[in-house]
Amino acid sequence: MPCIEKHMIGEKQADPIGCFWKNDVADGLPVLADEWKEKLQTIYLDPPFFTGQAFSFKQKIGEKGIKGDSRHIITHEAYSDFWESKAEFLNMLRQVLLLSRQMLKPEGSMFLHLDYRFSSHARLLMDEIFGEENFLNEIIWAYKSGGRSKHHFSRKHDTILFYRKSASHFFNPDAVGKPRGSSKRNNMKKNIDENGLTYWSIKSNGKVYRYYEDSKVYPSDVWDDISHLQQKDPERTGYDTQKPEALLERIILSTSRPGDWVGDFFAGSGTTLAAAQKSGRKWLGMDNSIFSLHVCRKRLLEAGGSGLLTFTDPSLKPQKYDNNKSVDIKLSVNDKGETEIRLVDYRCSVLDENLDYLDYIDYWSAGRLVNNEYIAEKYSFRTRTNPKLDSSLKIFSGSVCKNQGAIALHIVDIYGEQALITI
């Protein structure tokens, strides 16, 4: 069984706003496909691009790392994009697309994001699986970035293939249209109508067309208005191949409704999941990297909307505090009935004499362990706006979850190692 983490609203444990599976698509997706058959409205996939490279995740250490000190940043491998052959890569992609189609509602939409290396192969594959008649767009995401080639024109775009599952698909361009504004376009003339409203007009084939300032302009299939992320962009999580939220917001808003489920099975840094949550959609994510799980957790908590976290991870065996040598804590109960857990020391596998014990901790939470499921009630992690980690957390003795499970701590350090400790 994989690690499964659910994000809840308040006490509604039966109604999660999101679910993350830490698992490889080859193993996890066949299980998900049965459980989630025809439940997803939109699926966006940003798989490996068949680059033959390894990509990294840059982990910021403590307050100094969060503030940009390069001496307090360590690099981990996020994922490997090495394949024995094109056939192996195509076979993986075929299986993912087949299972993804099974999980889509009849009115659902599918987006596959690739670049020049495999977009032509993927188009034929999606024609085969979804049907040529269900092809809607080859979206070109054009962006400006540094670097140029001396041997060919610079490659500055990705391709996003947009397919529907059936002719009854849902599409709402009004959700992503933007007001025309006061800028002049083409040879249009500025006018004032009988109600004093400003509009632009143009005559074509004997007809006069009016365009008011508040009328909407809709995106075409060339998206050159969404920039790629700069190195110091506030959205940056440390992932090399992270996509901007604006890109996913356009996809999600135009093809789903509030409350719909959105899926991403190469979740990476969690852009799809964060954009879905901020848009009032629910999300289903999957990735095989432990760093993806930890980055997504913090990103979604920072985005707001979840009151409780629960997870089940058979590989993470709970340890009794008395038997744990990595952490020291102090417990106290105040007159409000709150149990305060204070961290007083933490020791991980790699130590640096220049670091404080809290610098090693990337995230920690306090909650309850009930029937082998950990339910986090309070948590602390560093962000750009709040780089300081809380050294103590308080939970009610009666428990928000209305259970009497054992008090437990979940600690994740900067090396991706984690511990689940019962008290």
Side-chain angles (χ1 to χ4, degrees), residues 191-205:
N191 301 277
I192 306 293
D193 72 5
E194 59 277 8
N195 297 314
L197 298 175
T198 302
Y199 69 91
W200 299 88
S201 67
I202 189 169
K203 189 173 183 179
S204 177
N205 295 326

Side-chain angles (χ1 to χ4, degrees), residues 73-100:
I73 297 176
I74 54 179
T75 301
H76 310 286
E77 183 176 301
Y79 67 94
S80 174
D81 190 11
F82 292 98
W83 304 86
E84 291 185 5
S85 64
K86 285 186 177 181
E88 182 192 22
F89 182 81
L90 267 176
N91 183 61
M92 178 277 295
L93 202 54
R94 179 189 299 276
Q95 295 306 312
V96 170
L97 291 172
L98 283 168
L99 294 169
S100 295

Side-chain angles (χ1 to χ4, degrees), residues 17 252-253 256-262 276-277 279-283:
I17 61 171
I252 291 167
L253 291 178
S256 67
R257 310 170 189 85
D260 282 338
W261 283 90
V262 176
Q277 183 165 299
S279 301
R281 278 67 169 169
K282 299 181 180 183
W283 47 266

